[in-house]
Every structure is written in structure tokens, then in C-alpha cells.
Amino acid sequence: MNMPDASSLTGFANNPLDRRSHLREDAAAIEALKATGHVLVFSMDKPVAKQGADGLDALFSSADAQTLGVAPDLYLGLLAGRGVYAGITALDEEALKARGLAVVDLRSLALQRALSPERLAMLGQARAMLNWHATHTHCARCGTPTDIAQAGFRRECPRCHAQHFPRTDPVVIMLVVHEGKCLLGRKSVFPPGMHSCLAGFLEPGETIEEAVRRETLEEAGIRTGRVVYHASQPWPMPFAQLMIGCFAQGLNADITLDDQELESARWYDVEECRALLERSAPDGQTGPAHFAIAHLLIRAFVDGQCPF
Ligand SMILES: [Zn+2]
């Protein structure tokens, strides 16, 4: 049996959809599949779910989606041969709740393990795509309103004919290790008590290793040597990002904090990290949520899987 990728252990991974990208060219086939298809319904940026036999279920039939005022213009892929689409309901949260439906943000669904990993992954893809459409309605080259093409995987400008594609922004996230301890920091936007890996956007013209070294030096004043890729995670909140998880070898111990970026940062030993992950730290500090790639990186460090 093959070992699963480390990436498959992160939330929003394991998307079961067969994207069948050639189908996107065939507007008639995409339309025909709708009749028997499933629809992922969003209320603004929150998924809508119904109470199923085994808890919440996020797949609506086309007929049900229609009663919620959803125009499922976005095709995501095939699930067991049936089309899966996404759309935004015209009803407000109160009206949805009055129909017995749940409206829960994606982070809470992940945190509460309210849906299977596969359903969560599909919702992540849908959220990222819907958000891209909502924020890219006009041509970036000439300002003209653009049209949806390729079942939602492209937008086209009717004036200058520019084509625009859904974007994913790469983010490096790294566990810096030095003399048996790892560096964790805290941003002010984190939930109370939470400490996690350093992270930052990869900039144009950088390799992954260069971005890891730059961010670590900028945020904490730590120089780094070897950088080793560990796993990645699609992260749909608020925009489509790809988290690129790495271990980095710290070369100095003295931290110089960038207090614009971090509230605090320090070195944690294995036992302290274990307590953060298990939420048993005596001072109430916690680690990143179970579905975040930062959790996976810290877990690997605790389990002795860090390469240095
Ligand atoms: Zn244009």
C-alpha cells in the first residue's frame, strides 16, 4: 500500500471531484448535467447545509437549489458521474434558517469536523472560485465587465478579448527549528492564546526557499540554512491560497521581533509543542487547529519527523 501524502492529512485536501477539464468547453453537456447534478449553496461567503441522516450535508439537488434562488453557473467537476455546481442563494440567512437550513462559515465547519474531509474540500474549492468571480467582475486590462466562460474556469473580456483565469496565491509557512526547539509566533488576529508557525506570501521573483528565508528573517530576525518542503494545503479563506509547508533550519537563537507582524515569538521544545497541540499547556496557550497545515508541521516536529 502506498503511504498517503502528508498533504492529504490537511483540511480542504482530498477533493473527490473529477474535474474533467475538457467538459468545460462543452456548454451543452455542462447544462445537461445540471438536471441530475448536485449544487453547493453559499449565503454570501458561508456554506448552506441541511440536516442529513449522518449530520450536516452540503449537497443539494438542482431542484432544491432552484427553490433557494440559486443560479448554479459554476461547474466544479463530477462526483460519481454527476455534475457538481456552486452558486449563491438569493435568500438571506434568516430565511434560510426558517427553512431549517444551517448557515455556517467554512472555518467552523472544519473546526467542528461537521462534514467529511471530501465534502469540506469541495466546499473549499467552491468558496475559492465563487470569491474569485465576485472580485474579478471587470477586465484588469481595460475595465470592461467580463463574461463567464469555460463553465466558470475563465472570464473573458468582450472588448479587448483578454482571458482571465482563477488565481491561487502561494504562501510559505515554515517551522523553523534550532537546537531541538522550534520557533512559534503569535499574530494579533489569531484566536486568544494561539501560537503558530511563521508564514507569508511568496513574492514575484522568489523561490520557495528564498521566501521562507526572507520571511523568517523579516519577522523574527532568524537566519535560516536548509529549507525542506513537507506538505501543502489549499486554503480558501478569504481568497484562494496554497499553503506551502516547510521545515527551515535556524542558524541563530536570538529573536528580533517585527512587532508590526507578530505580537510575540519564542522557541518551544517538543514537550511544550505537544501540550499546545493537545491543548494541555498550563498557561492556556494553544497551537493551530487540527485541520491547519501548521498543526501538521508541529506534529511532525513532536513525532521526530523533522529532518534536522
Ligand atoms: Zn478588456
Side-chain angles (χ1 to χ4, degrees), residues 2-166:
N2 290 333
M3 281 285 285
D5 295 334
S7 306
S8 71
L9 302 172
T10 65
F12 307 111
N14 304 297
N15 191 327
L17 293 182
D18 174 354
R19 299 192 181 213
R20 247 5 124 82
S21 55
H22 68 270
L23 259 181
R24 298 169 194 163
E25 302 282 355
D26 189 343
I30 294 289
E31 196 55 37
L33 276 167
K34 272 185 193 171
T36 56
H38 304 289
V39 183
L40 299 170
V41 177
F42 281 70
S43 169
M44 307 291 280
D45 59 359
K46 292 180 188 168
V48 178
K50 58 191 173 184
Q51 210 54 244
D54 310 311
L56 291 179
D57 186 8
L59 288 182
F60 290 82
S61 68
S62 280
D64 285 348
Q66 213 163 28
T67 68
L68 299 175
V70 177
D73 290 330
L74 176 59
Y75 158 82
L76 300 177
L78 297 178
L79 183 67
R82 293 167 72 175
V84 176
Y85 299 78
I88 294 177
T89 171
L91 302 180
D92 64 22
E93 248 184 85
E94 288 312 306
L96 293 164
K97 285 177 180 165
R99 291 179 181 224
L101 299 170
V103 183
V104 189
D105 68 276
L106 207 47
R107 185 183 168 79
S108 299
L109 288 174
L111 203 58
Q112 296 159 13
R113 294 186 170 91
L115 297 166
S116 69
E118 291 77 15
R119 291 281 198 272
L120 190 70
M122 287 192 285
L123 284 173
Q125 181 193 354
R127 164 81 201 270
M129 293 285 291
L130 287 168
N131 199 304
W132 176 73
H133 282 286
T135 54
H136 291 77
T137 53
H138 289 65
C139 179
R141 193 189 281 171
C142 76
T144 303
T146 48
D147 301 321
I148 292 181
Q150 284 223 318
F153 280 82
R154 195 164 79 200
R155 295 187 75 98
E156 293 175 350
C157 177
R159 183 158 174 257
C160 77
H161 307 294
Q163 297 182 337
H164 304 281
F165 296 90

